[in-house]
Amino acid sequence: MAADTSAPRIALGQFNPAVGDFTQNKEKIIDLARRAEANRAELLALPYGALTGHPLFDLPLFADFAGKTRQTIKDLAHELGSLGLGGLPVILGHSAPTVNRANTADVAESLYLIHDGSATEILPTDGIGTVKCAGWNIGVLPQTTMTERFITGNGLDLALVVGAVPFERNGPQRTAAALTQAAQVAGAPLAFVNLVGGQDDFVFAGGSSLFDANGKLTARAPLFVEDLSLIDVGQMAQIAPEEPQEAQVYRALTLALADYVAKNGFRSVVFGLSGGIDSALVAVLAADALGGSQTLGIGMPSPYSSQHSRQDAADLARRIGANYQEVPIKPAMSAFTDMMEMPGVAEENLQARIRGVLLMAASNVSGNLVLAPGNKSELAVGYSTIYGDAVGGFGPIKDLYKTEVWALARWRNSEAADRGEVPPIPESSITKPPSAELRPDQVDQDSLPEYAVLDPLLRAHLEERADRTELIAAGFPAETVDWVLRQVRISEWKRHQYAIGPTVTARSFDRNRRVPITNRWRNS
Amino acid sequence: MAADTSAPRIALGQFNPAVGDFTQNKEKIIDLARRAEANRAELLALPYGALTGHPLFDLPLFADFAGKTRQTIKDLAHELGSLGLGGLPVILGHSAPTVNRANTADVAESLYLIHDGSATEILPTDGIGTVKCAGWNIGVLPQTTMTERFITGNGLDLALVVGAVPFERNGPQRTAAALTQAAQVAGAPLAFVNLVGGQDDFVFAGGSSLFDANGKLTARAPLFVEDLSLIDVGQMAQIAPEEPQEAQVYRALTLALADYVAKNGFRSVVFGLSGGIDSALVAVLAADALGGSQTLGIGMPSPYSSQHSRQDAADLARRIGANYQEVPIKPAMSAFTDMMEMPGVAEENLQARIRGVLLMAASNVSGNLVLAPGNKSELAVGYSTIYGDAVGGFGPIKDLYKTEVWALARWRNSEAADRGEVPPIPESSITKPPSAELRPDQVDQDSLPEYAVLDPLLRAHLEERADRTELIAAGFPAETVDWVLRQVRISEWKRHQYAIGPTVTARSFDRNRRVPITNRWRNS
């Protein structure tokens, strides 16, 4: 138990840093400390990467980056002291340079205590850092190693997990279960403070929380927003309600997109609007992330585009308040096919590539970011045109299977209806048979298995690493399995060149997938 | 010393496997065993990845891949036995599934001895596997851990390093120095058998060799070709001569390109020919790798293209026997600029993107692989048009700085002259000021520092991780340093979407570079 017999108050500072923006990150920490102190907190816990951003990968191996990190911690400690905030212990962590067993430069997790005007590294014993401050005996560890080295009870007043846990479907529930178990092992109250915000393909979820010594949740901050939770240990506090799965995914994607735009110095985005569901969802996400006025949709109909698709595109733009223009692509098609013979699939790809050229030109002219509309199903089987519909700096829905794209679109529309608003996505964009409209009467199912079959097959293969034998045993037709696995294999090079986008599963094409491009393995 | 007091004979089977092609790899091993046996070898050592290809990354985590690997080793042992080759011990290794400390699926190195019709895993003690066979006491270890855990002398008759060492500039010399030291520590003859061939961004160098117990080189196979070296331990054997640096790099690039094409089922390549040095070197590499008749160069002049560039492009194609066609891009430029306003840089990029569309259409029509001509200097500072000159599935010169491109072009020409052949690259492509020719009288140095300054600066930053402070201390102008570091930072997203290509340095954009795209760090 804490030396202070009244319920000690801790502050969990869940916030959104920018990688390498030391000045801004430091100022935000000082602001949190000021608010924590004003609210009589006795400890301020900050997430992993608070000062530096996260993940840094190899940035700490550059001496000036590592030096600036060290200097900024010192400055932070000094400034907190000067501002009369030195009495508030602050705990944070980030990646710092080290030397590994092979005696080469490497990056390792490090944790720090800032107190009384100075910063001290918390050196771990058996993987756990122990600090004494303000009469407390606190065990501290980074979340990445939480499941490997549980804090075992040794008279701790508080176990503190300094987190940077990326979001994934059902991730917050799994994290909570792991934390409950950790608290029980520690036999002490356990605080978890998490990063929030988008950083390339990572979306950190927030949801900082406190568990009692029995592992019972006693406080939880909301997901996907910055927050300073002030919690009296031992008492129940506010528990942010759990949102439905679709709402969580939608907010994760919105935050990831908003942060990619802002942190890279863009203010607006541009995307193609075909009238199809993928570009519709991307457009609505963008409008929700940035405001409709900061988005530009371009309709680029070819002679194969249907009238209803053109109407759906324009209708969507109106509903979300996007800027909209239509540029028919026939003149460029004619110019190219006069220059070089392009029969069959070459002419289909030509249409997609002309659109890519137009989107990039629009981006060059106005400085906005091009969004790529690919979903996980089509990227998996290579059903997209590289340098065509694949152009863009960020792919907001690249980790959603096609069936999830529809589900999320429906959820967004029904959520709007619940609020008495006009649903943003035209119903026909959701209900019509999906088509690339690159030749007359084309539909996706000319080339692909039904998405109701394709998506579960892909999920099993990509996320559970189910192989041919297991997929067939699970009931997928052998012919379909062989076709899909071949497509996945031969499309690796295209995915390699695709934009990054937010990961919302345990394995996305941006994370936890490491396979060769040149690969002759097939089990058929 | 070996039980057999006569000089024992070992065979080093340096060969080029294909990832996942178990049938072909196994057949090649059987063929090597047959030849080794016919030549009275007492041991056949094979490189790391001989049976599976290398690197596999996460492929062994798929159960069917791991199962096929296990089955193929058994089949191989059985077949060698059936063919009367069971008496010849064969040692090989590859990556196999395991469970790591965190109890999750992982991949680890494993080594095997095949003998008398069966295969046995060589289980390491202190990181070193020890096998007894044919009266020999052999210490075996994979090359990756060679510098970490030297074999210490304990009565070994032979130390065997099962290697998969990728090529890099000066790499073979560094490897030889490490092996000399390892032999001295082991106090035994040391055999090193290396993989050869291209696999995505890897080029394995070969150069298998034998050192005596004093670390003296007594045999060496040539670089970049398959080879079966038969060596009587204790006697001097053939030592392949060391080729000049440029020759090594050139052959590494040629092999990487040839193998990417062949192993991915292509037979021919297509590339733009601008008359500039980058596309010229790519074209010559391709002609050397595949034969000129398997290459197609397309000249795509714009109104800003100079007459001499058009002539140089056509001249080059003639010299190397490439197929050649010219497609002026003005009609597409006019079509696009009538469709959308594209002033300034948008119009420059438009030209590059029209060329990209044409190259991809040519690829769609004929099924050949598009080669991307970017060099390391321009990729570093973002001096290329994404989806324009950046299109392609493989970038043969992406790990060469611009000054190295010129040097390699000069070397190739002078090598041709030495052989009494016509130098393949027109002299003016080498000597004229580099230009993208996207506007009148444009040259690279309008936008970039002199390459004689830029390249050393980039090399220090990218390969030695020199930061701003160190670069300025080394004498680079602060203004140049700041401009270059900013360009490197803001071009990360473009490099992320660039094709892979052979790595020939310790740090390429495909390997050993891990930095965020979203990154606000700057020290200026």
Side-chain angles (χ1 to χ4, degrees):
Chain A
M1 285 297 102
D4 182 350
T5 51
S6 73
R9 176 172 291 184
I10 63 170
L12 303 181
Q14 168 175 307
F15 84 101
N16 187 346
V19 164
D21 195 336
F22 291 98
T23 305
Q24 182 192 289
N25 298 342
K26 188 185 69 176
E27 290 309 315
K28 288 177 78 163
I29 291 173
I30 291 172
D31 182 57
L32 287 174
R34 194 180 279 121
R35 289 161 55 199
E37 175 83 7
N39 285 281
R40 302 180 314 282
E42 293 160 80
L43 176 75
L44 171 61
L46 295 170
Y48 193 79
L51 192 66
T52 56
H54 182 80
L56 301 175
F57 299 114
D58 283 351
L59 286 183
L61 298 181
F62 289 93
D64 58 2
F65 189 95
K68 180 75 175 177
T69 307
R70 283 191 301 271
Q71 186 58 51
T72 309
I73 302 179
K74 280 188 203 164
D75 292 349
L76 173 62
H78 183 79
E79 288 178 45
L80 288 173
S82 308
L83 293 164
L85 301 167
L88 175 72
V90 178
I91 290 175
L92 53 74
H94 48 252
S95 302
T98 186
V99 171
N100 66 18
R101 287 188 308 164
N103 205 31
T104 54
D106 204 346
V107 171
E109 291 167 328
S110 55
L111 299 169
Y112 301 86
L113 167 67
I114 298 176
H115 198 210
D116 290 335
S118 67
T120 320
E121 188 169 354
I122 302 172
L123 293 170
T125 313
D126 293 332
I128 317 295
T130 316
V131 292
K132 283 196 182 283
C133 68
W136 295 34
N137 186 21
I138 309 176
V140 190
L141 81 172
Q143 140 275 331
T144 45
T145 55
M146 186 179 69
T147 53
E148 276 182 73
R149 14 172 167 139
F150 276 125
I151 303 173
T152 47
N154 47 0
L156 292 182
D157 299 306
L158 183 72
L160 173 61
V161 176
V162 176
V165 184
F167 175 75
E168 62 181 64
R169 278 177 190 274
N170 303 309
Q173 295 92 313
R174 272 196 294 274
T175 302
L179 292 166
T180 289
Q181 204 188 335
Q184 289 165 346
V185 172
L190 182 144
F192 165 65
V193 58
N194 199 16
L195 214 58
V196 68
Q199 166 62 29
D200 289 346
D201 53 310
F202 289 81
V203 204
F204 297 99
S208 302
S209 37
L210 186 74
F211 298 81
D212 69 16
N214 299 314
K216 186 184 162 203
L217 182 69
T218 59
R220 181 171 63 206
L223 295 178
F224 303 118
V225 289
E226 293 192 309
D227 181 82
L228 181 69
S229 293
L230 294 147
I231 306 164
D232 296 310
V233 177
Q235 298 181 12
M236 287 299 294
Q238 191 156 12
I239 297 181
E242 205 168 288
E243 289 181 293
Q245 192 63 225
E246 296 303 350
Q248 289 184 20
V249 172
Y250 193 87
R251 292 179 63 198
L253 300 182
T254 315
L255 178 59
L257 175 54
D259 274 359
Y260 187 86
V261 168
K263 292 176 181 178
N264 283 292
F266 293 99
R267 273 177 296 189
S268 53
V269 294
V270 59
F271 39 78
L273 276 184
S274 67
I277 187 61
D278 298 320
S279 63
L281 183 60
V282 166
V284 176
L285 282 164
D288 286 343
L290 309 168
S293 65
Q294 297 311 103
T295 70
L296 169 60
I298 307 186
M300 294 170 283
S302 82
Y304 308 121
S305 300
S306 61
Q307 195 53 38
H308 67 80
S309 286
R310 296 176 68 164
Q311 285 163 354
D312 287 343
D315 184 14
L316 171 76
R318 263 192 308 275
R319 294 183 189 208
I320 64 174
N323 301 292
Y324 182 68
Q325 65 187 85
E326 192 177 74
V327 184
I329 65 169
K330 182 76 169 63
M333 290 171 66
S334 302
F336 275 112
T337 51
D338 286 349
M339 288 158 68
M340 187 185 275
E341 277 202 62
M342 302 186 189
V345 76
E347 200 224 2
E348 295 185 23
N349 284 336
L350 173 64
Q351 297 166 58
R353 293 201 176 108
I354 289 169
R355 293 178 178 129
V357 171
L358 290 168
L359 287 172
M360 292 307 295
S363 167
N364 278 156
V365 168
S366 57
N368 44 26
L369 170 72
V370 179
L371 299 181
N375 63 61
K376 195 169 188 172
S377 308
E378 69 182 29
L379 295 182
V381 297
Y383 194 65
S384 75
T385 301
I386 190 167
Y387 321 128
D389 52 281
V391 309
F394 199 69
I397 61 169
K398 70 177 285 195
D399 201 27
L400 298 184
Y401 295 101
K402 185 79 173 189
T403 46
E404 294 173 338
V405 171
W406 278 310
L408 214 53
R410 286 205 184 86
W411 172 83
R412 181 63 183 82
N413 268 8
S414 74
E415 188 230 15
D418 290 348
R419 290 200 299 237
E421 295 167 5
V422 177
I425 302 174
E427 189 62 19
S428 59
S429 290
I430 302 179
T431 53
K432 69 185 173 188
S435 168
E437 297 194 337
L438 296 173
R439 58 175 188 263
D441 303 321
Q442 181 184 31
V443 293
D444 289 10
Q445 267 55 61
D446 297 342
S447 315
L448 303 181
E450 291 289 336
Y451 286 112
V453 174
L454 178 63
D455 285 0
L457 196 169
L458 287 171
R459 189 181 285 112
H461 178 63
L462 298 171
E463 284 161 50
E464 311 297 328
R465 292 209 180 94
D467 57 27
R468 180 178 189 269
T469 312
E470 291 159 344
L471 291 167
I472 292 172
F476 293 104
E479 208 175 302
T480 307
V481 170
D482 288 338
W483 185 86
V484 170
L485 295 190
R486 179 173 188 277
Q487 289 301 120
V488 169
R489 185 165 59 88
I490 67 176
S491 308
E492 202 63 45
W493 76 280
K494 287 205 239 177
R495 288 191 293 272
H496 185 85
Q497 295 190 38
Y498 206 84
I500 59 166
T503 289
V504 293
T505 60
R507 285 201 187 95
S508 70
F509 294 127
D510 288 317
R511 210 176 313 154
N512 299 328
R513 180 172 177 81
R514 283 166 42 89
V515 295
I517 290 175
T518 301
N519 175 11
R520 284 154 78 155
W521 164 242
R522 60 183 187 285
N523 182 18
S524 57
Chain B
M1 285 297 102
D4 182 350
T5 52
S6 74
R9 175 172 293 185
I10 64 171
L12 302 182
Q14 167 175 309
F15 82 103
N16 187 345
V19 164
D21 195 337
F22 291 97
T23 305
Q24 182 193 288
N25 297 342
K26 187 186 68 176
E27 291 309 315
K28 287 177 78 165
I29 291 173
I30 290 172
D31 181 58
L32 287 174
R34 193 180 278 120
R35 290 162 55 200
E37 175 83 9
N39 285 282
R40 300 180 315 283
E42 292 160 80
L43 175 74
L44 172 60
L46 296 169
Y48 193 79
L51 192 65
T52 56
H54 182 78
L56 300 176
F57 298 114
D58 283 350
L59 287 182
L61 298 181
F62 288 93
D64 57 2
F65 189 96
K68 180 74 176 179
T69 307
R70 284 191 300 272
Q71 186 58 49
T72 310
I73 301 179
K74 281 188 201 161
D75 293 348
L76 174 61
H78 183 79
E79 288 177 46
L80 287 172
S82 308
L83 293 164
L85 302 167
L88 174 71
V90 179
I91 290 175
L92 53 75
H94 48 251
S95 303
T98 186
V99 171
N100 66 18
R101 287 189 308 163
N103 205 32
T104 54
D106 205 347
V107 170
E109 291 167 328
S110 55
L111 299 169
Y112 301 87
L113 167 68
I114 298 177
H115 198 210
D116 289 334
S118 67
T120 319
E121 188 169 355
I122 302 171
L123 293 171
T125 313
D126 293 332
I128 317 296
T130 316
V131 293
K132 283 195 181 284
C133 68
W136 295 35
N137 187 21
I138 309 175
V140 189
L141 81 171
Q143 140 275 330
T144 47
T145 56
M146 185 181 71
T147 53
E148 277 181 75
R149 15 173 169 141
F150 276 125
I151 303 172
T152 47
N154 48 0
L156 292 182
D157 298 305
L158 183 72
L160 173 61
V161 177
V162 176
V165 184
F167 175 75
E168 63 181 63
R169 276 176 193 275
N170 302 309
Q173 295 92 313
R174 272 196 295 274
T175 302
L179 292 165
T180 289
Q181 203 189 338
Q184 289 165 347
V185 172
L190 183 144
F192 164 66
V193 57
N194 199 16
L195 213 57
V196 68
Q199 167 61 31
D200 289 347
D201 52 310
F202 290 81
V203 204
F204 297 100
S208 302
S209 37
L210 186 74
F211 299 80
D212 70 15
N214 299 315
K216 186 184 165 204
L217 182 69
T218 59
R220 182 170 63 206
L223 295 179
F224 303 118
V225 290
E226 293 191 310
D227 181 82
L228 181 68
S229 291
L230 294 147
I231 306 163
D232 296 311
V233 177
Q235 299 182 11
M236 284 302 291
Q238 191 156 13
I239 296 181
E242 205 167 290
E243 290 181 293
Q245 193 62 225
E246 296 303 347
Q248 289 185 20
V249 172
Y250 194 87
R251 292 179 65 198
L253 300 182
T254 314
L255 178 59
L257 174 55
D259 274 358
Y260 188 88
V261 168
K263 292 177 182 179
N264 284 290
F266 293 99
R267 272 176 297 190
S268 53
V269 295
V270 59
F271 39 78
L273 276 185
S274 67
I277 187 61
D278 298 320
S279 63
L281 183 60
V282 166
V284 176
L285 282 164
D288 285 342
L290 309 167
S293 66
Q294 297 311 103
T295 69
L296 168 60
I298 307 186
M300 295 170 283
S302 81
Y304 308 120
S305 300
S306 61
Q307 195 52 37
H308 67 79
S309 287
R310 296 175 69 163
Q311 285 163 354
D312 288 341
D315 185 15
L316 171 76
R318 261 191 311 273
R319 294 183 189 209
I320 63 174
N323 300 292
Y324 181 68
Q325 64 187 87
E326 192 178 75
V327 185
I329 65 169
K330 181 76 170 63
M333 289 172 67
S334 302
F336 274 113
T337 51
D338 286 349
M339 288 158 68
M340 188 185 273
E341 278 203 60
M342 303 186 190
V345 76
E347 201 224 1
E348 295 185 24
N349 284 335
L350 173 65
Q351 297 166 58
R353 293 202 175 106
I354 288 169
R355 293 177 178 129
V357 171
L358 290 168
L359 287 172
M360 292 306 296
S363 168
N364 278 157
V365 168
S366 57
N368 44 27
L369 170 71
V370 179
L371 300 181
N375 63 60
K376 195 169 188 172
S377 307
E378 69 182 29
L379 295 183
V381 297
Y383 194 66
S384 76
T385 300
I386 189 167
Y387 321 128
D389 52 281
V391 309
F394 198 70
I397 61 169
K398 69 177 285 194
D399 202 27
L400 298 184
Y401 296 100
K402 185 78 175 190
T403 45
E404 295 173 338
V405 172
W406 278 310
L408 214 53
R410 286 206 183 86
W411 172 85
R412 180 65 183 81
N413 269 8
S414 75
E415 188 230 14
D418 290 349
R419 289 199 300 237
E421 296 167 5
V422 176
I425 302 176
E427 189 62 19
S428 58
S429 291
I430 301 179
T431 53
K432 70 184 171 188
S435 167
E437 296 193 340
L438 296 172
R439 58 174 189 265
D441 302 321
Q442 181 185 30
V443 293
D444 289 10
Q445 267 56 62
D446 297 342
S447 315
L448 304 181
E450 291 290 336
Y451 286 113
V453 174
L454 179 61
D455 285 0
L457 197 169
L458 287 171
R459 188 180 285 112
H461 178 63
L462 297 171
E463 283 161 50
E464 311 298 329
R465 292 210 180 94
D467 57 27
R468 180 177 189 270
T469 312
E470 292 158 344
L471 291 167
I472 293 172
F476 294 105
E479 207 174 305
T480 307
V481 170
D482 287 338
W483 184 87
V484 170
L485 295 189
R486 178 173 188 278
Q487 289 301 120
V488 169
R489 185 165 59 88
I490 67 175
S491 308
E492 201 64 45
W493 76 278
K494 287 205 242 178
R495 288 191 293 272
H496 185 86
Q497 295 189 38
Y498 205 86
I500 59 167
T503 289
V504 293
T505 61
R507 285 201 187 95
S508 70
F509 293 128
D510 287 318
R511 211 177 311 154
N512 298 330
R513 180 172 178 81
R514 284 166 41 90
V515 295
I517 290 174
T518 301
N519 174 11
R520 285 154 77 158
W521 165 242
R522 60 184 187 285
N523 182 19
S524 58

